[in-house]
Amino acid sequence: ARMLLAFALLLAACSGAAKAPARPDFETCRGFLETAEVARVTGQATLEQVGRSVTETARMQTPSIRSYCEAILYWPGRAQSVTLAVIRYDSPEAARSQYQRVADGLRLAAGPRFTESALGENSYSAEANSQGVGNFVGFLRGTDVVSLHTAMPSGGASPTTIEQLRRLAEIVQGRLF
């Protein structure tokens, strides 16, 4: 019986069981959102991802940035993408100031298509769908400002609905907090 139990445990450990998602890593800019998650939420497969830190460049303009990770998840050959930006500031005040600046700009640009508290307190969503930019979702937590937006050819359709983008933001939110 012990041998059977040991074999069952070994088989379970070696099987293709779903592994826990990686913790976000601000050094490598990985683990915030995976291509498989975007494919599952949107129903569109064949995604690729480019992740990079733009911290040094961003610090030249905004010294209060501690870390700035950007991930572009795109569909090859389609000129459509979802961009995730995760910016960590050196203080909650600096983070709030940047969050408010972006939210205010989107509120003006999107008008009635701007939604406050889309993911709870200190969050928004906006449907811009203009000049090659589709939907936006963003939130503030502590010293982190997170935004997701879609891009597509001007005049084209956003690769995700606003609700799909909210679901992707919730995945990131769950990983960070």
Side-chain angles (χ1 to χ4, degrees):
R2 279 190 191 160
M3 183 76 125
L4 187 56
L5 178 61
F7 180 71
L9 290 173
L10 179 62
L11 187 60
C14 295
S15 73
K19 61 181 181 177
R23 296 226 3 107
D25 183 336
F26 280 89
E27 294 296 317
T28 65
C29 293
R30 292 291 207 186
F32 295 99
L33 189 63
E34 303 299 326
T35 56
E37 293 164 325
V38 177
R40 187 184 76 247
V41 168
T42 65
Q44 304 175 57
T46 323
L47 278 136
E48 294 186 19
Q49 179 174 357
V50 176
R52 63 187 177 162
S53 171
V54 292
T55 302
E56 295 309 313
T57 305
R59 272 193 197 141
M60 286 186 231
Q61 293 180 4
T62 310
S64 61
I65 290 176
R66 285 186 25 212
S67 177
Y68 189 138
C69 288
E70 181 178 78
I72 301 168
L73 299 105
Y74 65 96
W75 289 268
R78 286 186 35 201
Q80 292 181 317
S81 63
V82 173
T83 299
L84 165 67
V86 182
I87 308 169
R88 181 162 279 175
Y89 288 87
D90 61 7
S91 71
E93 295 78 22
R96 173 160 295 290
S97 175
Q98 176 61 21
Y99 168 82
Q100 203 59 58
R101 204 174 9 256
V102 172
D104 289 347
L106 284 171
R107 187 179 291 108
L108 286 174
R113 297 179 319 253
F114 180 88
T115 303
E116 196 77 49
S117 302
L119 301 169
E121 189 177 354
N122 296 317
S123 66
Y124 63 81
S125 66
E127 297 178 73
N129 294 321
S130 134
Q131 301 177 1
V133 178
N135 301 315
F136 284 86
V137 175
F139 60 90
L140 165 70
R141 291 293 185 277
T143 59
D144 296 334
V145 176
V146 178
S147 67
L148 289 97
H149 75 269
T150 59
M152 67 282 185
S154 192
S158 176
T160 71
T161 65
I162 193 72
E163 186 53 41
Q164 290 169 333
L165 203 59
R166 279 187 199 119
R167 280 188 261 154
L168 294 173
E170 288 170 346
I171 292 169
V172 176
Q173 200 175 40
R175 295 237 169 93
L176 286 172
F177 311 106

